[in-house]
Amino acid sequence: AMADRSLSSTASGRRQLSGVLDANDYPELIDEGTAACYQRLVENTSCCLDQQMGPGVVGSPVRRPGTEWRCELPRCEDWVTGRRGDDMLWTPPKVDTCRSPRVLYVHGGGFWYGSPQSYGYPQLASKLAARIGAIVLVPDYPLARVGNHSTALAAVRQALAWLARYGDGCTRGSAPLFVAGDSAGGGGG
């Protein structure tokens, strides 16, 4: 039987999450807001997954020449298997393709897993595009054992070069260009 995982308050106002941890051991770490959020997770583990996309933002796959690779078990351990290498381009509404800022966002995953279409990256990239009015490209670089750090870095550099040239009739350097990422993408981009 599963342990009772309910949140209760003691007479002194300290919170206790029975069956999991005793918040009394760490009162300075578990404030009321954190305790309430944790209780929501205990009751419904998918309660906090962000499913909302940036308003009005359009996502389009980008298939650049020479970027195709395959993710097949056991060589590739990601859950997105099969043909890979398509980037995702997120464009906010009413954007000036030639002058709007451009962001290359490199997904994380320790170089072992992740894609432009998994782990919340569509939501993150679309919200980033909407919030700052930027065109956002999330590249799909070859993961470990299919590629290595050098091939991942080369794929990211090729994606950056493509993003710098993006837009019909735009002159090179007409839009600000930024690189961002998280986890392995923050260090490898």
Side-chain angles (χ1 to χ4, degrees):
M2 192 169 164
D4 176 27
R5 296 182 177 194
S6 59
L7 189 65
S8 61
S9 293
T10 64
S12 66
R14 294 168 73 183
R15 288 160 303 286
Q16 181 171 344
L17 186 59
S18 63
V20 178
L21 73 104
D22 185 349
N24 298 323
D25 291 340
Y26 307 99
E28 70 281 0
L29 298 177
I30 302 179
D31 60 33
E32 188 173 322
T34 302
C37 186
Y38 193 82
Q39 181 63 35
R40 285 183 59 206
L41 282 169
V42 167
E43 293 168 2
N44 176 6
T45 56
S46 63
C47 74
C48 301
L49 294 177
D50 190 353
Q51 307 267 330
Q52 301 296 315
M53 304 297 274
V57 175
V58 175
S60 308
V62 174
R63 185 169 290 175
R64 296 179 291 109
T67 61
E68 182 176 336
W69 60 281
R70 296 199 63 79
C71 181
E72 302 292 346
L73 295 172
R75 189 169 181 216
C76 178
E77 298 180 20
D78 195 40
W79 64 271
V80 179
T81 59
R83 187 199 178 286
R84 298 276 300 261
D86 290 350
D87 305 332
M88 278 301 293
L89 184 70
W90 299 93
T91 308
K94 301 177 184 173
V95 68
D96 179 342
T97 304
C98 292
R99 296 184 186 265
S100 293
R102 299 163 190 200
V103 176
L104 181 73
Y105 193 92
V106 185
H107 72 79
F111 298 111
W112 286 91
Y113 59 90
S115 81
Q117 293 290 0
S118 61
Y119 301 105
Y121 290 107
Q123 293 82 356
L124 175 67
S126 69
K127 286 182 178 182
L128 182 62
R131 177 70 64 121
I132 65 174
I135 297 166
V136 177
L137 181 68
V138 183
D140 190 20
Y141 56 83
L143 300 175
R145 290 204 300 207
V146 172
N148 56 35
H149 185 266
S150 295
T151 55
L153 186 57
V156 168
R157 292 179 71 187
Q158 290 168 358
L160 182 62
W162 182 90
L163 186 59
R165 294 186 306 269
Y166 174 72
D168 293 333
C170 299
T171 58
R172 189 178 182 128
S174 61
L177 188 59
F178 301 92
V179 178
D182 65 284
S183 190

